[in-house]
């Protein structure tokens, strides 16, 4: 079974999971990972978290990992147009993630939050328009993109419960995704429900 190495925070897919837990405050030690990271230099070209080891595929970079898993499960789009959309949306989702991660790990989270939610409207409106009347972000068939998009949009509603109220299509997408039987079963597990989104050093977990 493939191995995913990551922090003890929310992750995805069926895998053999190696979790690295950050130390508690005040030290917030990253030693669980940094103490073994040099050893990973023998296995990985660019040691980092997450890493993914699947036979002779040994990779880091979140989107490379997602695309590898997607190709194995035919979730990377069918036509050239769909594949291009998948690639674009994965990077677009990463841009959204980087913005929200910057906020969540900022010690001034409380004072910056309103400004963040004001500014993110432009981005949410574009995702709403892109989704349109499609079931999934690239059309009728679910692709890998729908996974990080679910994760990110759901996180926004955790941070601010009404954050998708102006985006009925995004809201319906969240409902549709979490009703998929396998997703529903996955999300119902205590270990998933109780898994924080961010590390202990974050202001919003
Ligand atoms: N571009 C990389 C970023 C990787 C990254 O920044 N990982 C963070 C956690 S999200 C980390 O703690 N890495 C451990 C390290 O820097 O050694 C990706 O998308 O995977």
């Amino acid at each position: 079974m493939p191995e995913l190495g990551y922090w003890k925070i929310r992750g995805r897919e069926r895998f053999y999971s190696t979790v690295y837990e950050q130390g508690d405050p005040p030290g917030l030690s990253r030693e669980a990972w940094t103490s073994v990271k040099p050893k990973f230099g023998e296995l990985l070209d660019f040691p980092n978290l997450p890493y993914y080891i699947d036979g002779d595929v040994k990779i880091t970079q979140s989107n490379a990992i997602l695309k590898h898993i997607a190709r194995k499960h035919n979730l990377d789009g069918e036509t050239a147009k769909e594949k291009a959309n998948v690639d674009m949306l994965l990077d677009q989702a990463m841009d959204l993630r980087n913005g929200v991660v910057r906020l969540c790990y900022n010690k001034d989270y409380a004072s910056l939050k309103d400004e963040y939610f004001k500014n993110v409207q432009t981005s949410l409106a574009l995702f709403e328009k892109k989704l349109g009347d499609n079931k999934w972000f690239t059309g009728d068939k679910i692709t890998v993109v729908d996974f990080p998009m679910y994760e990110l949009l759901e996180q926004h509603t955790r941070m601010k419960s009404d954050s998708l109220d102006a985006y009925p299509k995004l809201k319906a997408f969240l409902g549709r995704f979490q009703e998929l039987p396998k997703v529903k079963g996955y999300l119902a597990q205590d270990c998933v429900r109780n898994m924080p989104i961010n590390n202990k050093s974050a202001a919003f977990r």
Side-chain angles (χ1 to χ4, degrees):
M1 203 185 294
E3 173 187 341
L4 174 79
Y6 197 51
W7 291 110
K8 194 178 174 188
I9 56 180
R10 273 163 67 146
R12 311 146 190 111
E13 224 225 2
R14 185 189 298 264
F15 42 72
Y16 170 89
S17 183
T18 301
V19 293
Y20 299 91
E21 184 163 10
Q22 186 173 26
D24 290 318
L28 294 168
S29 165
R30 290 164 61 93
E31 211 195 335
W33 164 242
T34 53
S35 63
V36 295
K37 184 174 177 177
K39 194 182 75 145
F40 276 93
E42 292 159 27
L43 199 66
L44 299 165
D45 297 320
F46 304 97
N48 211 331
L49 293 175
Y51 63 74
Y52 198 70
I53 299 166
D54 183 12
D56 61 355
V57 174
K58 303 177 176 79
I59 52 171
T60 49
Q61 289 298 342
S62 307
N63 279 347
I65 294 169
L66 286 177
K67 284 188 205 178
H68 168 69
I69 297 167
R71 283 189 292 268
K72 282 180 61 169
H73 299 283
N74 283 323
L75 291 170
D76 62 330
E78 276 162 21
T79 62
K81 185 178 167 184
E82 276 169 16
K83 286 178 195 293
N85 267 286
V86 163
D87 289 351
M88 175 179 74
L89 279 157
L90 278 179
D91 283 339
Q92 203 62 47
M94 187 56 83
D95 286 357
L96 180 62
R97 180 182 302 284
N98 287 336
V100 76
V101 164
R102 254 194 313 277
L103 170 69
C104 289
Y105 282 85
N106 197 303
K107 61 175 177 27
D108 297 324
Y109 176 80
S111 63
L112 294 172
K113 189 178 159 184
D114 282 353
E115 183 70 7
Y116 171 83
F117 274 95
K118 207 172 106 204
N119 293 335
V120 82
Q121 298 311 312
T122 313
S123 176
L124 294 178
L126 292 174
F127 281 115
E128 170 91 350
K129 184 161 165 264
K130 175 68 177 161
L131 180 63
D133 293 322
N134 291 328
K135 204 167 164 197
W136 307 113
F137 270 96
T138 56
D140 292 341
K141 190 173 172 275
I142 195 165
T143 68
V144 61
V145 159
D146 297 300
F147 290 75
M149 283 311 299
Y150 170 78
E151 169 81 7
L152 282 162
L153 294 173
E154 198 267 348
Q155 178 179 345
H156 280 75
T157 64
R158 287 193 194 203
M159 295 166 71
K160 188 170 180 291
S161 58
D162 65 354
S163 59
L164 295 183
D165 283 4
Y167 308 103
K169 294 176 199 295
L170 296 181
K171 255 184 135 166
F173 162 82
L174 280 194
R176 209 154 43 234
F177 187 91
Q178 63 201 8
E179 281 307 311
L180 292 169
K182 282 190 180 162
V183 171
K184 200 172 180 172
Y186 174 77
L187 293 175
Q189 297 172 87
D190 282 346
C191 59
V192 174
R193 282 190 299 120
N194 301 331
M195 188 72 91
I197 292 168
N198 291 310
N199 242 330
K200 293 178 187 173
S201 40
F204 178 87
R205 294 198 72 202

